[in-house]
Amino acid sequence: TIAKSKKEVQGLLENVYPAFKQAFQKIDRKVEFDIEARWEMEAVAKQISEENPEIRRLKEKLTAKGSQVSLQEKIAVGAMIAREAQERKDRYTREIREFFGPIILEVSPLPPKGEDTVMHSAFLVSRNSSETFEEKIRLLDKRFNEKLKLKYAGPLPPYCFTGIQVT
């Protein structure tokens, strides 16, 4: 936004003052932690194929057909695996969020960094709870051991929790 005069700037600031005040109150004495959980998609797809009886049966049937497997049949198996993988991603995301409990004041989803991203989120936490939150991240990493690889950044300024529109 480009203002043409001092009066226009003052008017703009008067209009957005309540939003700024509310945003600053929301993030006062708060920090952000960004957590990314990833998995090895190839290994997960193999595990799903072995654990899901319906997928296993369909793959065995297609293997028996040999080279006469149609593209539609291959796509159907892939879609079943993708649905199961998404269900697991959703379950892991819920589990991670629930693990932190009331320490989390708010969560903001972030864009995935690739198809191997299970969860990528920003967590708003009281500054007083930062050390506890970091300890819980380490416990969570041990809990998921080989299933998920966790990366985190923080404590950070709470950038993801300050969306103010100035018009």
Side-chain angles (χ1 to χ4, degrees):
T1 303
I2 298 175
K4 294 178 180 126
S5 68
K6 183 178 178 179
K7 188 175 182 177
E8 194 176 329
V9 171
Q10 285 176 315
L12 177 66
L13 290 173
E14 287 171 6
N15 287 338
V16 296
Y17 174 76
F20 274 105
K21 184 177 178 182
Q22 184 179 14
F24 284 124
Q25 287 172 342
K26 176 182 173 183
I27 63 170
D28 186 38
R29 292 186 286 277
K30 312 278 188 323
V31 293
E32 176 181 319
F33 284 89
D34 295 350
I35 300 178
E36 180 186 20
R38 301 180 96 138
W39 62 16
E40 184 63 45
M41 189 60 207
E42 227 175 274
V44 171
K46 184 176 187 262
Q47 182 182 24
I48 288 170
S49 295
E50 293 167 356
E51 292 176 356
N52 184 305
E54 187 180 351
I55 295 172
R56 191 173 57 244
R57 276 193 303 275
L58 185 54
K59 284 186 85 172
E60 288 169 359
K61 180 181 165 189
L62 296 180
T63 301
K65 284 178 97 174
S67 63
Q68 296 182 350
V69 176
S70 72
L71 180 59
Q72 287 178 318
E73 290 170 315
K74 290 178 183 179
I75 290 171
V77 171
M80 291 171 72
I81 291 171
R83 273 193 305 277
E84 176 70 24
Q86 186 59 52
E87 287 174 18
R88 289 181 184 201
K89 283 182 178 184
D90 295 343
R91 191 169 52 244
Y92 280 134
T93 298
R94 276 191 311 275
E95 199 174 325
I96 290 168
R97 290 180 181 177
E98 288 170 3
F99 183 79
F100 292 107
I103 293 175
I104 298 172
L105 303 173
E106 193 173 330
V107 178
S108 178
L110 298 170
K113 291 186 176 181
E115 86 168 29
D116 61 342
T117 300
V118 174
M119 183 209 72
H120 190 207
S121 296
F123 294 84
L124 186 65
V125 178
S126 167
R127 187 180 312 274
N128 296 341
S129 300
S130 290
E131 288 181 26
T132 304
F133 192 82
E134 287 187 87
E135 180 56 34
K136 282 190 159 262
I137 292 171
R138 286 188 281 281
L139 292 171
L140 193 62
D141 193 38
K142 287 179 185 173
R143 179 177 174 177
F144 286 123
N145 195 11
E146 294 299 314
K147 293 178 186 172
L148 298 176
K149 302 292 183 217
L150 298 180
K151 289 183 182 178
Y152 81 96
L156 304 166
Y159 297 117
C160 291
F161 301 94
T162 58
I164 298 173
Q165 295 292 326
V166 178
T167 56

